[in-house]
Amino acid sequence: MPLGVYVTASDAAHWAGRPVGTIWRWASEGRINRTGTGKGARYLLSTVPKAERDEYTGELLQPADPPALPDGARAA
């Protein structure tokens, strides 16, 4: 995976095996990096944890664990 790749919320959600709302929350809590706002927001893929998927079918086996909160931050 190349570093510095920014993706849409739906792409990040697929990568993490989580709903789009979770990606939005993780970004608002500072768990993952984001650039832009609204529909133009993009998320730094290298900060989004990867879900475990079947290598042949792509079926979700285990969603990614949430990334750690930054020091001093509280979960929403």
Side-chain angles (χ1 to χ4, degrees):
M1 167 186 53
L3 297 177
V5 174
Y6 284 86
V7 297
T8 64
S10 61
D11 290 338
H14 178 77
W15 179 262
R18 300 287 189 141
V20 171
T22 301
I23 301 303
W24 295 336
R25 182 172 49 84
W26 286 352
S28 71
E29 293 170 346
R31 294 176 188 251
I32 61 175
N33 294 346
R34 172 186 66 203
T35 187
T37 59
K39 290 183 179 183
R42 298 293 182 262
Y43 303 86
L44 184 58
L45 192 58
S46 63
T47 62
V48 179
K50 186 176 181 182
E52 183 180 339
R53 294 185 179 274
D54 182 274
E55 70 176 290
Y56 299 108
T57 65
E59 179 182 357
L60 180 64
L61 300 175
Q62 178 72 35
D65 291 332
L69 280 168
D71 291 336
R74 293 182 352 162

Short mmCIF file of all heavy atoms in Angstrom, two decimals:
data_model
loop_
_atom_site.label_atom_id
_atom_site.label_comp_id
_atom_site.label_asym_id
_atom_site.label_seq_id
_atom_site.Cartn_x
_atom_site.Cartn_y
_atom_site.Cartn_z
N MET A 1 0.85 -1.18 0.00
CA MET A 1 0.00 0.00 0.00
C MET A 1 0.89 1.24 0.00
O MET A 1 1.71 1.40 0.89
CB MET A 1 -0.89 -0.03 1.24
CG MET A 1 -1.58 1.26 1.51
SD MET A 1 -2.49 1.30 3.06
CE MET A 1 -1.28 0.79 4.22
N PRO A 2 0.73 2.12 -0.97
CA PRO A 2 1.54 3.34 -1.00
C PRO A 2 1.14 4.29 0.12
O PRO A 2 -0.04 4.41 0.46
CB PRO A 2 1.22 3.95 -2.36
CG PRO A 2 0.28 3.05 -3.05
CD PRO A 2 -0.10 1.96 -2.12
N LEU A 3 2.12 4.95 0.71
CA LEU A 3 1.83 5.93 1.74
C LEU A 3 1.34 7.21 1.10
O LEU A 3 1.69 7.53 -0.03
CB LEU A 3 3.10 6.21 2.56
CG LEU A 3 3.64 5.03 3.33
CD1 LEU A 3 4.94 5.42 4.03
CD2 LEU A 3 2.64 4.51 4.33
N GLY A 4 0.52 7.96 1.83
CA GLY A 4 0.05 9.23 1.33
C GLY A 4 -1.14 9.13 0.39
O GLY A 4 -1.44 10.08 -0.31
N VAL A 5 -1.85 8.00 0.37
CA VAL A 5 -3.01 7.83 -0.49
C VAL A 5 -4.26 8.24 0.30
O VAL A 5 -4.53 7.69 1.37
CB VAL A 5 -3.15 6.37 -0.97
CG1 VAL A 5 -4.43 6.17 -1.73
CG2 VAL A 5 -1.95 5.99 -1.80
N TYR A 6 -4.99 9.20 -0.23
CA TYR A 6 -6.24 9.64 0.39
C TYR A 6 -7.41 9.04 -0.38
O TYR A 6 -7.41 9.05 -1.61
CB TYR A 6 -6.34 11.17 0.40
CG TYR A 6 -5.47 11.80 1.47
CD1 TYR A 6 -4.14 12.10 1.22
CD2 TYR A 6 -5.99 12.09 2.72
CE1 TYR A 6 -3.35 12.68 2.20
CE2 TYR A 6 -5.21 12.67 3.71
CZ TYR A 6 -3.89 12.96 3.44
OH TYR A 6 -3.11 13.52 4.41
N VAL A 7 -8.40 8.53 0.36
CA VAL A 7 -9.55 7.86 -0.25
C VAL A 7 -10.85 8.44 0.31
O VAL A 7 -10.85 9.12 1.33
CB VAL A 7 -9.51 6.33 0.00
CG1 VAL A 7 -8.28 5.71 -0.65
CG2 VAL A 7 -9.54 6.01 1.48
N THR A 8 -11.95 8.13 -0.35
CA THR A 8 -13.26 8.57 0.12
C THR A 8 -13.65 7.80 1.38
O THR A 8 -13.06 6.76 1.70
CB THR A 8 -14.35 8.33 -0.94
OG1 THR A 8 -14.46 6.92 -1.15
CG2 THR A 8 -14.03 9.05 -2.24
N ALA A 9 -14.67 8.28 2.07
CA ALA A 9 -15.15 7.62 3.28
C ALA A 9 -15.66 6.21 2.97
O ALA A 9 -15.43 5.28 3.74
CB ALA A 9 -16.25 8.44 3.94
N SER A 10 -16.32 6.03 1.84
CA SER A 10 -16.83 4.70 1.51
C SER A 10 -15.69 3.72 1.20
O SER A 10 -15.76 2.55 1.57
CB SER A 10 -17.83 4.76 0.34
OG SER A 10 -17.20 5.26 -0.81
N ASP A 11 -14.63 4.20 0.57
CA ASP A 11 -13.47 3.34 0.32
C ASP A 11 -12.77 2.99 1.64
O ASP A 11 -12.36 1.84 1.84
CB ASP A 11 -12.48 4.01 -0.63
CG ASP A 11 -13.01 4.11 -2.05
OD1 ASP A 11 -13.91 3.32 -2.41
OD2 ASP A 11 -12.52 4.98 -2.79
N ALA A 12 -12.64 3.97 2.53
CA ALA A 12 -12.02 3.71 3.84
C ALA A 12 -12.88 2.74 4.65
O ALA A 12 -12.35 1.87 5.35
CB ALA A 12 -11.83 5.02 4.60
N ALA A 13 -14.20 2.86 4.54
CA ALA A 13 -15.10 1.96 5.26
C ALA A 13 -14.96 0.53 4.76
O ALA A 13 -14.93 -0.41 5.56
CB ALA A 13 -16.54 2.44 5.10
N HIS A 14 -14.84 0.36 3.47
CA HIS A 14 -14.64 -0.98 2.92
C HIS A 14 -13.30 -1.55 3.39
O HIS A 14 -13.22 -2.72 3.79
CB HIS A 14 -14.69 -0.96 1.39
CG HIS A 14 -14.44 -2.31 0.79
ND1 HIS A 14 -15.38 -3.29 0.77
CD2 HIS A 14 -13.33 -2.84 0.23
CE1 HIS A 14 -14.87 -4.38 0.21
NE2 HIS A 14 -13.62 -4.12 -0.13
N TRP A 15 -12.25 -0.75 3.36
CA TRP A 15 -10.92 -1.17 3.79
C TRP A 15 -10.95 -1.65 5.25
O TRP A 15 -10.34 -2.66 5.59
CB TRP A 15 -9.96 0.01 3.63
CG TRP A 15 -8.56 -0.24 4.04
CD1 TRP A 15 -7.98 0.09 5.23
CD2 TRP A 15 -7.52 -0.85 3.26
NE1 TRP A 15 -6.66 -0.28 5.23
CE2 TRP A 15 -6.35 -0.86 4.05
CE3 TRP A 15 -7.48 -1.38 1.98
CZ2 TRP A 15 -5.15 -1.39 3.58
CZ3 TRP A 15 -6.28 -1.91 1.52
CH2 TRP A 15 -5.14 -1.90 2.31
N ALA A 16 -11.68 -0.91 6.11
CA ALA A 16 -11.74 -1.23 7.54
C ALA A 16 -12.82 -2.26 7.87
O ALA A 16 -12.84 -2.78 8.98
CB ALA A 16 -11.96 0.03 8.34
N GLY A 17 -13.74 -2.50 6.95
CA GLY A 17 -14.83 -3.41 7.23
C GLY A 17 -15.82 -2.83 8.22
O GLY A 17 -16.46 -3.54 8.99
N ARG A 18 -15.94 -1.52 8.21
CA ARG A 18 -16.81 -0.79 9.14
C ARG A 18 -17.75 0.12 8.35
O ARG A 18 -17.48 0.44 7.19
CB ARG A 18 -15.96 0.09 10.07
CG ARG A 18 -14.97 -0.64 10.94
CD ARG A 18 -15.69 -1.37 12.03
NE ARG A 18 -14.74 -1.93 13.00
CZ ARG A 18 -14.96 -1.94 14.28
NH1 ARG A 18 -16.05 -1.45 14.78
NH2 ARG A 18 -14.07 -2.48 15.09
N PRO A 19 -18.84 0.60 8.99
CA PRO A 19 -19.74 1.55 8.32
C PRO A 19 -19.06 2.91 8.10
O PRO A 19 -18.11 3.28 8.81
CB PRO A 19 -20.91 1.70 9.29
CG PRO A 19 -20.77 0.61 10.28
CD PRO A 19 -19.35 0.18 10.29
N VAL A 20 -19.58 3.65 7.14
CA VAL A 20 -19.04 4.99 6.83
C VAL A 20 -19.11 5.89 8.06
O VAL A 20 -18.18 6.66 8.32
CB VAL A 20 -19.81 5.61 5.64
CG1 VAL A 20 -19.41 7.06 5.44
CG2 VAL A 20 -19.54 4.83 4.37
N GLY A 21 -20.18 5.79 8.83
CA GLY A 21 -20.31 6.61 10.04
C GLY A 21 -19.18 6.39 11.02
O GLY A 21 -18.77 7.31 11.73
N THR A 22 -18.66 5.18 11.07
CA THR A 22 -17.53 4.88 11.94
C THR A 22 -16.29 5.60 11.46
O THR A 22 -15.52 6.14 12.27
CB THR A 22 -17.29 3.36 12.01
OG1 THR A 22 -18.46 2.73 12.51
CG2 THR A 22 -16.11 3.02 12.90
N ILE A 23 -16.09 5.65 10.16
CA ILE A 23 -14.94 6.37 9.59
C ILE A 23 -15.06 7.86 9.94
O ILE A 23 -14.07 8.49 10.35
CB ILE A 23 -14.86 6.17 8.07
CG1 ILE A 23 -14.72 4.68 7.71
CG2 ILE A 23 -13.72 7.00 7.46
CD1 ILE A 23 -13.51 3.99 8.34
N TRP A 24 -16.25 8.43 9.80
CA TRP A 24 -16.45 9.84 10.16
C TRP A 24 -16.14 10.08 11.62
O TRP A 24 -15.50 11.07 11.98
CB TRP A 24 -17.89 10.26 9.86
CG TRP A 24 -18.27 10.24 8.42
CD1 TRP A 24 -17.47 10.35 7.33
CD2 TRP A 24 -19.60 10.11 7.91
NE1 TRP A 24 -18.21 10.29 6.18
CE2 TRP A 24 -19.52 10.15 6.50
CE3 TRP A 24 -20.85 9.95 8.49
CZ2 TRP A 24 -20.63 10.04 5.68
CZ3 TRP A 24 -21.97 9.84 7.67
CH2 TRP A 24 -21.85 9.89 6.28
N ARG A 25 -16.60 9.17 12.50
CA ARG A 25 -16.37 9.32 13.94
C ARG A 25 -14.88 9.20 14.25
O ARG A 25 -14.34 10.02 15.00
CB ARG A 25 -17.17 8.29 14.73
CG ARG A 25 -16.99 8.44 16.24
CD ARG A 25 -17.93 7.55 17.03
NE ARG A 25 -17.93 6.17 16.58
CZ ARG A 25 -17.05 5.25 16.96
NH1 ARG A 25 -16.07 5.56 17.78
NH2 ARG A 25 -17.15 4.01 16.51
N TRP A 26 -14.21 8.19 13.67
CA TRP A 26 -12.78 8.04 13.92
C TRP A 26 -12.02 9.30 13.51
O TRP A 26 -11.11 9.74 14.21
CB TRP A 26 -12.23 6.84 13.16
CG TRP A 26 -12.59 5.50 13.73
CD1 TRP A 26 -13.23 5.26 14.92
CD2 TRP A 26 -12.34 4.23 13.15
NE1 TRP A 26 -13.39 3.90 15.09
CE2 TRP A 26 -12.84 3.24 14.01
CE3 TRP A 26 -11.75 3.83 11.97
CZ2 TRP A 26 -12.76 1.89 13.74
CZ3 TRP A 26 -11.67 2.47 11.70
CH2 TRP A 26 -12.17 1.51 12.58
N ALA A 27 -12.40 9.90 12.39
CA ALA A 27 -11.73 11.12 11.94
C ALA A 27 -12.02 12.28 12.89
O ALA A 27 -11.12 13.06 13.22
CB ALA A 27 -12.17 11.47 10.52
N SER A 28 -13.26 12.39 13.36
CA SER A 28 -13.60 13.50 14.26
C SER A 28 -12.91 13.35 15.62
O SER A 28 -12.63 14.34 16.28
CB SER A 28 -15.11 13.60 14.45
OG SER A 28 -15.60 12.53 15.24
N GLU A 29 -12.62 12.11 16.02
CA GLU A 29 -11.92 11.85 17.28
C GLU A 29 -10.41 11.96 17.14
O GLU A 29 -9.69 11.91 18.13
CB GLU A 29 -12.26 10.45 17.80
CG GLU A 29 -13.70 10.28 18.21
CD GLU A 29 -14.08 8.85 18.50
OE1 GLU A 29 -13.32 7.91 18.15
OE2 GLU A 29 -15.16 8.65 19.09
N GLY A 30 -9.91 12.09 15.91
CA GLY A 30 -8.48 12.20 15.66
C GLY A 30 -7.78 10.86 15.55
O GLY A 30 -6.56 10.79 15.55
N ARG A 31 -8.55 9.77 15.43
CA ARG A 31 -7.96 8.44 15.31
C ARG A 31 -7.32 8.22 13.94
O ARG A 31 -6.36 7.49 13.81
CB ARG A 31 -9.03 7.37 15.53
CG ARG A 31 -9.58 7.33 16.93
CD ARG A 31 -10.70 6.29 17.00
NE ARG A 31 -11.40 6.32 18.26
CZ ARG A 31 -11.30 5.36 19.18
NH1 ARG A 31 -10.53 4.33 18.99
NH2 ARG A 31 -11.98 5.46 20.30
N ILE A 32 -7.90 8.82 12.89
CA ILE A 32 -7.37 8.71 11.53
C ILE A 32 -7.24 10.11 10.95
O ILE A 32 -7.92 11.04 11.40
CB ILE A 32 -8.24 7.81 10.62
CG1 ILE A 32 -9.66 8.36 10.48
CG2 ILE A 32 -8.25 6.38 11.13
CD1 ILE A 32 -10.53 7.57 9.51
N ASN A 33 -6.39 10.27 9.96
CA ASN A 33 -6.15 11.57 9.35
C ASN A 33 -7.13 11.84 8.22
O ASN A 33 -7.46 10.94 7.45
CB ASN A 33 -4.73 11.67 8.82
CG ASN A 33 -3.70 11.61 9.92
OD1 ASN A 33 -4.03 11.76 11.09
ND2 ASN A 33 -2.46 11.39 9.55
N ARG A 34 -7.56 13.10 8.13
CA ARG A 34 -8.52 13.53 7.12
C ARG A 34 -8.04 14.85 6.53
O ARG A 34 -7.43 15.66 7.19
CB ARG A 34 -9.89 13.72 7.79
CG ARG A 34 -10.92 14.36 6.87
CD ARG A 34 -12.20 14.67 7.60
NE ARG A 34 -11.96 15.70 8.58
CZ ARG A 34 -12.72 15.89 9.66
NH1 ARG A 34 -13.75 15.13 9.89
NH2 ARG A 34 -12.44 16.85 10.50
N THR A 35 -8.39 15.05 5.27
CA THR A 35 -8.19 16.34 4.62
C THR A 35 -9.49 16.74 3.98
O THR A 35 -10.24 15.90 3.48
CB THR A 35 -7.03 16.29 3.60
OG1 THR A 35 -6.77 17.61 3.12
CG2 THR A 35 -7.34 15.37 2.44
N GLY A 36 -9.80 18.02 4.01
CA GLY A 36 -11.04 18.51 3.42
C GLY A 36 -12.22 18.35 4.38
O GLY A 36 -12.09 17.85 5.49
N THR A 37 -13.38 18.80 3.89
CA THR A 37 -14.60 18.73 4.69
C THR A 37 -15.76 18.30 3.82
O THR A 37 -15.69 18.36 2.59
CB THR A 37 -14.94 20.10 5.32
OG1 THR A 37 -15.10 21.05 4.28
CG2 THR A 37 -13.86 20.55 6.29
N GLY A 38 -16.83 17.89 4.47
CA GLY A 38 -18.05 17.52 3.75
C GLY A 38 -17.83 16.39 2.78
O GLY A 38 -17.06 15.47 3.03
N LYS A 39 -18.52 16.47 1.63
CA LYS A 39 -18.40 15.41 0.63
C LYS A 39 -17.02 15.35 -0.01
O LYS A 39 -16.64 14.34 -0.59
CB LYS A 39 -19.46 15.59 -0.46
CG LYS A 39 -20.86 15.32 0.03
CD LYS A 39 -21.86 15.43 -1.09
CE LYS A 39 -23.26 15.14 -0.56
NZ LYS A 39 -24.26 15.15 -1.61
N GLY A 40 -16.26 16.42 0.11
CA GLY A 40 -14.92 16.46 -0.45
C GLY A 40 -13.84 15.91 0.49
O GLY A 40 -12.68 15.88 0.14
N ALA A 41 -14.23 15.47 1.68
CA ALA A 41 -13.25 14.96 2.65
C ALA A 41 -12.64 13.67 2.13
O ALA A 41 -13.29 12.84 1.50
CB ALA A 41 -13.93 14.72 3.99
N ARG A 42 -11.35 13.51 2.41
CA ARG A 42 -10.63 12.30 2.05
C ARG A 42 -9.85 11.85 3.28
O ARG A 42 -9.42 12.66 4.11
CB ARG A 42 -9.67 12.54 0.88
CG ARG A 42 -10.37 12.95 -0.41
CD ARG A 42 -11.22 11.81 -0.97
NE ARG A 42 -11.88 12.14 -2.21
CZ ARG A 42 -13.14 12.55 -2.32
NH1 ARG A 42 -13.89 12.72 -1.23
NH2 ARG A 42 -13.68 12.78 -3.50
N TYR A 43 -9.63 10.54 3.39
CA TYR A 43 -9.05 9.93 4.57
C TYR A 43 -7.75 9.24 4.20
O TYR A 43 -7.69 8.52 3.20
CB TYR A 43 -10.05 8.95 5.20
CG TYR A 43 -11.34 9.67 5.51
CD1 TYR A 43 -12.33 9.81 4.54
CD2 TYR A 43 -11.53 10.28 6.74
CE1 TYR A 43 -13.49 10.52 4.80
CE2 TYR A 43 -12.69 11.01 7.00
CZ TYR A 43 -13.66 11.12 6.03
OH TYR A 43 -14.79 11.84 6.29
N LEU A 44 -6.71 9.45 5.00
CA LEU A 44 -5.39 8.88 4.73
C LEU A 44 -5.44 7.39 4.99
O LEU A 44 -5.61 6.93 6.12
CB LEU A 44 -4.34 9.55 5.62
CG LEU A 44 -2.89 9.13 5.40
CD1 LEU A 44 -2.46 9.40 3.96
CD2 LEU A 44 -1.99 9.87 6.36
N LEU A 45 -5.31 6.61 3.93
CA LEU A 45 -5.49 5.17 4.00
C LEU A 45 -4.48 4.50 4.94
O LEU A 45 -4.82 3.53 5.61
CB LEU A 45 -5.40 4.55 2.61
CG LEU A 45 -5.85 3.10 2.49
CD1 LEU A 45 -7.29 2.92 2.94
CD2 LEU A 45 -5.69 2.61 1.07
N SER A 46 -3.29 5.02 5.03
CA SER A 46 -2.28 4.40 5.90
C SER A 46 -2.63 4.52 7.38
O SER A 46 -2.05 3.82 8.20
CB SER A 46 -0.90 4.99 5.63
OG SER A 46 -0.87 6.37 5.92
N THR A 47 -3.59 5.40 7.74
CA THR A 47 -4.00 5.53 9.14
C THR A 47 -5.27 4.73 9.44
O THR A 47 -5.67 4.64 10.60
CB THR A 47 -4.24 7.00 9.52
OG1 THR A 47 -5.31 7.54 8.74
CG2 THR A 47 -2.98 7.83 9.32
N VAL A 48 -5.89 4.16 8.41
CA VAL A 48 -7.11 3.37 8.58
C VAL A 48 -6.71 1.90 8.72
O VAL A 48 -6.05 1.36 7.82
CB VAL A 48 -8.07 3.54 7.38
CG1 VAL A 48 -9.32 2.70 7.55
CG2 VAL A 48 -8.43 5.01 7.20
N PRO A 49 -7.10 1.24 9.82
CA PRO A 49 -6.73 -0.17 9.97
C PRO A 49 -7.43 -1.05 8.94
O PRO A 49 -8.55 -0.76 8.53
CB PRO A 49 -7.17 -0.52 11.40
CG PRO A 49 -8.17 0.50 11.75
CD PRO A 49 -7.87 1.73 10.95
N LYS A 50 -6.77 -2.12 8.55
CA LYS A 50 -7.29 -2.99 7.50
C LYS A 50 -8.08 -4.16 8.11
O LYS A 50 -7.61 -4.81 9.05
CB LYS A 50 -6.14 -3.54 6.65
CG LYS A 50 -6.60 -4.34 5.46
CD LYS A 50 -5.44 -4.79 4.60
CE LYS A 50 -5.94 -5.56 3.40
NZ LYS A 50 -4.85 -6.04 2.58
N ALA A 51 -9.25 -4.42 7.54
CA ALA A 51 -10.07 -5.56 7.96
C ALA A 51 -9.48 -6.85 7.44
O ALA A 51 -8.75 -6.87 6.45
CB ALA A 51 -11.50 -5.39 7.44
N GLU A 52 -9.84 -7.93 8.09
CA GLU A 52 -9.43 -9.26 7.62
C GLU A 52 -10.50 -9.77 6.66
O GLU A 52 -11.67 -9.84 7.01
CB GLU A 52 -9.28 -10.21 8.81
CG GLU A 52 -8.79 -11.58 8.43
CD GLU A 52 -8.66 -12.49 9.64
OE1 GLU A 52 -8.57 -12.01 10.76
OE2 GLU A 52 -8.70 -13.71 9.42
N ARG A 53 -10.09 -10.10 5.43
CA ARG A 53 -11.01 -10.58 4.41
C ARG A 53 -10.49 -11.88 3.81
O ARG A 53 -9.29 -12.13 3.79
CB ARG A 53 -11.17 -9.55 3.30
CG ARG A 53 -11.84 -8.27 3.77
CD ARG A 53 -12.10 -7.32 2.62
NE ARG A 53 -12.77 -6.13 3.10
CZ ARG A 53 -14.09 -6.03 3.24
NH1 ARG A 53 -14.86 -7.02 2.91
NH2 ARG A 53 -14.63 -4.92 3.71
N ASP A 54 -11.42 -12.69 3.29
CA ASP A 54 -11.05 -13.92 2.60
C ASP A 54 -10.28 -13.53 1.34
O ASP A 54 -10.72 -12.68 0.57
CB ASP A 54 -12.30 -14.71 2.24
CG ASP A 54 -11.97 -16.02 1.56
OD1 ASP A 54 -11.80 -15.99 0.31
OD2 ASP A 54 -11.87 -17.04 2.25
N GLU A 55 -9.12 -14.15 1.13
CA GLU A 55 -8.28 -13.75 0.00
C GLU A 55 -8.87 -14.10 -1.35
O GLU A 55 -8.49 -13.53 -2.37
CB GLU A 55 -6.87 -14.33 0.14
CG GLU A 55 -6.78 -15.82 -0.05
CD GLU A 55 -5.35 -16.32 0.01
OE1 GLU A 55 -4.59 -16.02 -0.93
OE2 GLU A 55 -5.03 -16.99 1.00
N TYR A 56 -9.79 -15.04 -1.39
CA TYR A 56 -10.37 -15.47 -2.67
C TYR A 56 -11.70 -14.78 -2.97
O TYR A 56 -11.95 -14.40 -4.10
CB TYR A 56 -10.54 -16.99 -2.71
CG TYR A 56 -9.22 -17.71 -2.57
CD1 TYR A 56 -8.89 -18.38 -1.41
CD2 TYR A 56 -8.29 -17.68 -3.60
CE1 TYR A 56 -7.67 -19.01 -1.27
CE2 TYR A 56 -7.05 -18.30 -3.47
CZ TYR A 56 -6.75 -18.97 -2.31
OH TYR A 56 -5.54 -19.59 -2.17
N THR A 57 -12.54 -14.65 -1.96
CA THR A 57 -13.88 -14.09 -2.19
C THR A 57 -13.99 -12.62 -1.79
O THR A 57 -14.91 -11.94 -2.21
CB THR A 57 -14.94 -14.87 -1.41
OG1 THR A 57 -14.71 -14.71 -0.01
CG2 THR A 57 -14.92 -16.34 -1.78
N GLY A 58 -13.08 -12.15 -0.94
CA GLY A 58 -13.17 -10.78 -0.45
C GLY A 58 -14.19 -10.62 0.67
O GLY A 58 -14.42 -9.52 1.15
N GLU A 59 -14.77 -11.73 1.11
CA GLU A 59 -15.78 -11.68 2.17
C GLU A 59 -15.13 -11.21 3.48
O GLU A 59 -14.02 -11.63 3.84
CB GLU A 59 -16.39 -13.06 2.37
CG GLU A 59 -17.42 -13.12 3.47
CD GLU A 59 -17.96 -14.53 3.67
OE1 GLU A 59 -17.59 -15.45 2.92
OE2 GLU A 59 -18.75 -14.70 4.60
N LEU A 60 -15.84 -10.37 4.20
CA LEU A 60 -15.36 -9.84 5.46
C LEU A 60 -15.33 -10.95 6.50
O LEU A 60 -16.35 -11.58 6.78
CB LEU A 60 -16.25 -8.68 5.93
CG LEU A 60 -15.87 -8.03 7.26
CD1 LEU A 60 -14.51 -7.37 7.15
CD2 LEU A 60 -16.92 -7.02 7.65
N LEU A 61 -14.17 -11.20 7.08
CA LEU A 61 -14.03 -12.19 8.14
C LEU A 61 -14.01 -11.54 9.52
O LEU A 61 -14.62 -12.03 10.45
CB LEU A 61 -12.74 -13.00 7.95
CG LEU A 61 -12.62 -13.78 6.64
CD1 LEU A 61 -11.25 -14.42 6.53
CD2 LEU A 61 -13.72 -14.82 6.53
N GLN A 62 -13.29 -10.42 9.63
CA GLN A 62 -13.18 -9.70 10.90
C GLN A 62 -12.97 -8.22 10.61
O GLN A 62 -12.01 -7.85 9.94
CB GLN A 62 -11.98 -10.25 11.68
CG GLN A 62 -11.71 -9.58 13.00
CD GLN A 62 -12.74 -9.95 14.05
OE1 GLN A 62 -13.22 -11.05 14.08
NE2 GLN A 62 -13.08 -9.01 14.89
N PRO A 63 -13.87 -7.35 11.12
CA PRO A 63 -13.64 -5.92 10.92
C PRO A 63 -12.39 -5.47 11.68
O PRO A 63 -11.98 -6.11 12.65
CB PRO A 63 -14.89 -5.25 11.49
CG PRO A 63 -15.67 -6.30 12.17
CD PRO A 63 -15.09 -7.62 11.84
N ALA A 64 -11.81 -4.39 11.23
CA ALA A 64 -10.60 -3.86 11.87
C ALA A 64 -10.91 -3.35 13.26
O ALA A 64 -12.00 -2.83 13.52
CB ALA A 64 -10.03 -2.74 11.02
N ASP A 65 -9.95 -3.50 14.15
CA ASP A 65 -10.06 -2.92 15.49
C ASP A 65 -9.93 -1.40 15.36
O ASP A 65 -9.23 -0.91 14.47
CB ASP A 65 -8.96 -3.44 16.40
CG ASP A 65 -9.15 -4.92 16.75
OD1 ASP A 65 -10.31 -5.39 16.76
OD2 ASP A 65 -8.14 -5.59 16.99
N PRO A 66 -10.58 -0.67 16.25
CA PRO A 66 -10.46 0.79 16.19
C PRO A 66 -9.02 1.24 16.44
O PRO A 66 -8.33 0.66 17.28
CB PRO A 66 -11.37 1.30 17.31
CG PRO A 66 -12.10 0.13 17.83
CD PRO A 66 -11.45 -1.11 17.32
N PRO A 67 -8.57 2.26 15.74
CA PRO A 67 -7.24 2.80 16.02
C PRO A 67 -7.23 3.46 17.41
O PRO A 67 -8.28 3.85 17.92
CB PRO A 67 -6.99 3.83 14.93
CG PRO A 67 -8.24 3.92 14.13
CD PRO A 67 -9.22 2.93 14.64
N ALA A 68 -6.08 3.59 17.97
CA ALA A 68 -5.95 4.21 19.30
C ALA A 68 -6.31 5.70 19.24
O ALA A 68 -6.10 6.37 18.23
CB ALA A 68 -4.52 4.06 19.79
N LEU A 69 -6.86 6.16 20.35
CA LEU A 69 -7.14 7.59 20.48
C LEU A 69 -5.85 8.35 20.71
O LEU A 69 -4.93 7.83 21.36
CB LEU A 69 -8.05 7.83 21.68
CG LEU A 69 -9.53 7.59 21.51
CD1 LEU A 69 -10.23 7.59 22.84
CD2 LEU A 69 -10.14 8.61 20.60
N PRO A 70 -5.75 9.56 20.20
CA PRO A 70 -4.57 10.38 20.49
C PRO A 70 -4.53 10.69 22.00
O PRO A 70 -5.57 10.69 22.66
CB PRO A 70 -4.77 11.64 19.68
CG PRO A 70 -5.96 11.44 18.85
CD PRO A 70 -6.66 10.23 19.31
N ASP A 71 -3.35 10.97 22.51
CA ASP A 71 -3.21 11.32 23.92
C ASP A 71 -4.10 12.51 24.28
O ASP A 71 -4.13 13.50 23.55
CB ASP A 71 -1.76 11.67 24.25
CG ASP A 71 -0.86 10.45 24.17
OD1 ASP A 71 -1.37 9.32 24.32
OD2 ASP A 71 0.35 10.65 23.96
N GLY A 72 -4.82 12.38 25.36
CA GLY A 72 -5.67 13.47 25.85
C GLY A 72 -7.04 13.56 25.20
O GLY A 72 -7.86 14.38 25.57
N ALA A 73 -7.34 12.72 24.22
CA ALA A 73 -8.64 12.75 23.54
C ALA A 73 -9.61 11.80 24.22
O ALA A 73 -9.22 10.83 24.86
CB ALA A 73 -8.47 12.36 22.07
N ARG A 74 -10.90 12.11 24.05
CA ARG A 74 -11.95 11.25 24.59
C ARG A 74 -12.81 10.75 23.45
O ARG A 74 -13.04 11.46 22.48
CB ARG A 74 -12.84 12.03 25.57
CG ARG A 74 -12.10 12.44 26.82
CD ARG A 74 -12.94 13.16 27.82
NE ARG A 74 -14.26 13.50 27.36
CZ ARG A 74 -15.27 13.81 28.15
NH1 ARG A 74 -15.10 13.84 29.44
NH2 ARG A 74 -16.44 14.13 27.66
N ALA A 75 -13.29 9.52 23.58
CA ALA A 75 -14.15 8.94 22.55
C ALA A 75 -15.49 9.64 22.53
O ALA A 75 -15.97 10.12 23.56
CB ALA A 75 -14.34 7.45 22.79
N ALA A 76 -16.12 9.70 21.37
CA ALA A 76 -17.42 10.36 21.22
C ALA A 76 -18.51 9.53 21.87
O ALA A 76 -18.44 8.37 22.05
CB ALA A 76 -17.76 10.54 19.75
#
